[in-house]
Amino acid sequence: MKKTFNSLILLFFVFFWIFFSMVLQFDKAKPEEFSYDYRFTFISPFANAGYWGNTAYGMLQADKQLHTNTKFTGFLESDAVSMGQAIRSELYARPDGLITAGSSEPAVVNALKEASRARTPVILIDNDNPDTDRLCYIGPNNYEMGRAAGREMTLGISEPLYAAVLIGSSSSENQSQRLKGFEDQLSLHPDCRVEAVMEANYSLLTIREMLPALLKDHPKINAIFCAEGYSSIITGEILSDLGPQYDHMRVIVSGHTAEILDHIASGRYHCTITQDCGVMGQMAVEILKNHKEGVPPKEDTIYLENIIISKENLDTISPYESEGVTWHLYNGNLLLTPQSEN
């Protein structure tokens, strides 16, 4: 009996020693694993593994290098009211800085003005709005992106060009600027013009429903410019489903998802006009950290270079990367690690 009791005491002390050792190891690792200098939040219009996922991936890489921590908040279906609510909600958590896409919608503008009154620095990406008192803008020159698409669209043409432009939303400044740049460039050619503009609200389902009807209603259309990423992903598939009469449609798109690059490789797409959005995310985190340490941005507006990818230089770019990015969905207390573009 005494021997059994001693064995139990010995086992208790062994168990206690193992548990205590694990606690010590956890406490020792905890500061290195969880501490950071500044805490930022990226409020993205969408939670996906494409353009916005790659942007968040750039922020993630910057966090590892700069000892910062960025939270990624996004939406499966975004709208201005939800964006404004998410910005206001995040202000209660007192982040050291915010990164988000600019907008002229009152709900977003008013929320960003609240951030300014709370002295929370904001960097706008992808779409600018200087009236929001943002720290700076980082992203494409959207008007020049449209001009670049127009130049590629008219390159070497020998017949009249009747183009359809697929946009996400007419209320988005970046979409309006890309459309204006494209129209201005086409106007330099007397036989080229925009035949129709299709607004699909960044919905794959809506694009699938609307594009065949658009082409049927406008039989002259022989070119398509997809001014945003969602139509860029699915237009090639839709044209293939519609039959060989659309095999010679000149299609210029935006972004570089795996689907887009596959359509360029097959010849379905003439080219894509894209930017390094990972670098955009990295720069946003770096500039916010520098600002917190008393170093202001060197420029008010930082434009990303437009990169034109065609079949000839396809090997110079890879699909979007978002490994390790975990989205906090604002529309529900869920965490999503996206696997594919939404």
Side-chain angles (χ1 to χ4, degrees):
M1 183 75 178
K2 186 176 181 181
K3 187 175 181 181
T4 303
F5 179 76
N6 289 338
S7 298
L8 288 173
I9 292 293
L10 179 62
L11 283 172
F12 172 78
F13 278 110
V14 169
F15 174 79
F16 181 79
W17 178 81
I18 292 172
F19 176 77
F20 186 69
S21 299
M22 289 175 66
V23 170
L24 284 178
Q25 289 176 3
F26 177 78
D27 286 342
K28 195 178 292 184
K30 191 175 180 179
E32 182 181 352
E33 186 177 351
F34 296 103
S35 66
Y36 45 82
D37 295 332
Y38 303 104
R39 180 175 58 85
F40 306 133
T41 299
F42 171 39
I43 299 177
S44 170
F46 295 97
N48 62 37
Y51 179 86
W52 296 110
N54 192 219
T55 300
Y57 180 78
M59 297 176 192
L60 191 64
Q61 303 315 301
D63 283 341
K64 293 175 182 178
Q65 297 168 11
L66 302 175
H67 209 239
T68 54
N69 180 280
T70 304
K71 173 184 174 183
F72 308 121
T73 298
F75 308 82
L76 295 181
E77 294 183 5
S78 183
D79 61 81
V81 173
S82 296
M83 284 284 289
Q85 290 173 344
I87 292 168
R88 285 192 176 91
S89 176
E90 194 58 34
L91 290 176
Y92 287 111
R94 299 184 180 276
D96 294 305
L98 290 177
I99 305 165
T100 191
S103 171
S104 60
E105 293 285 349
V108 177
V109 172
N110 292 335
L112 292 176
K113 287 181 178 179
E114 285 190 27
S116 177
R117 289 193 291 271
R119 297 186 178 181
T120 302
V122 175
I123 289 181
L124 296 184
I125 58 175
D126 186 66
N127 191 30
D128 195 12
N129 187 344
D131 296 335
T132 58
D133 196 27
R134 81 297 190 266
L135 189 61
C136 69
Y137 167 73
I138 309 169
N141 182 326
N142 289 295
Y143 177 79
E144 288 302 325
M145 185 176 173
R147 293 292 297 265
R151 284 191 293 272
E152 288 297 317
M153 189 67 80
T154 56
L155 190 65
I157 62 165
S158 58
E159 59 181 359
L161 194 74
Y162 302 96
V165 181
L166 311 188
I167 64 172
S169 171
S170 58
S171 64
S172 296
E173 289 294 321
N174 61 350
Q175 297 292 283
S176 299
Q177 291 166 4
R178 292 177 191 182
L179 174 60
K180 181 67 164 61
F182 185 74
E183 288 175 327
D184 287 352
Q185 189 64 37
L186 259 61
S187 70
L188 301 178
H189 303 265
D191 293 330
C192 300
R193 65 186 179 90
V194 172
E195 176 74 6
V197 177
M198 188 183 94
E199 180 181 357
N201 200 30
Y202 307 100
S203 167
L204 295 175
L205 179 61
T206 303
I207 296 162
R208 189 180 290 279
E209 291 175 348
M210 291 181 65
L211 184 54
L214 180 79
L215 295 175
K216 183 179 179 180
D217 292 342
H218 299 271
K220 282 186 177 181
I221 290 175
N222 56 3
I224 296 175
F225 170 41
C226 299
E228 51 78 46
Y230 285 78
S231 60
S232 298
I233 291 170
I234 200 171
T235 292
E237 178 188 335
I238 294 171
L239 294 176
S240 296
D241 291 343
L242 290 176
Q245 66 268 37
Y246 295 106
D247 284 352
H248 300 292
M249 180 85 67
R250 178 169 285 198
V251 182
I252 293 177
V253 300
S254 310
H256 55 275
T257 65
E259 297 93 336
I260 289 170
L261 299 183
D262 285 345
H263 284 310
I264 290 174
S266 71
R268 169 62 72 183
Y269 289 170
H270 176 71
C271 71
T272 184
I273 302 175
T274 189
Q275 301 85 28
D276 193 334
C277 54
V279 167
M280 178 173 71
Q282 287 178 322
M283 291 176 65
V285 171
E286 182 178 357
I287 289 173
L288 274 180
K289 181 178 181 182
N290 288 343
H291 171 75
K292 296 298 293 184
E293 295 178 349
V295 181
K298 293 181 180 179
E299 299 174 82
D300 177 75
T301 302
I302 302 169
Y303 286 133
L304 301 176
E305 176 189 4
N306 285 322
I307 305 168
I308 299 174
I309 300 297
S310 63
K311 205 170 184 178
E312 286 69 31
N313 64 342
L314 189 58
D315 60 346
T316 64
I317 197 163
S318 301
Y320 291 127
E321 171 67 76
S322 63
E323 184 178 355
V325 172
T326 299
W327 289 104
H328 297 251
L329 293 183
Y330 178 74
N331 293 335
N333 278 328
L334 301 173
L335 295 180
L336 169 71
T337 304
Q339 299 300 316
S340 61
E341 178 77 40
N342 291 299

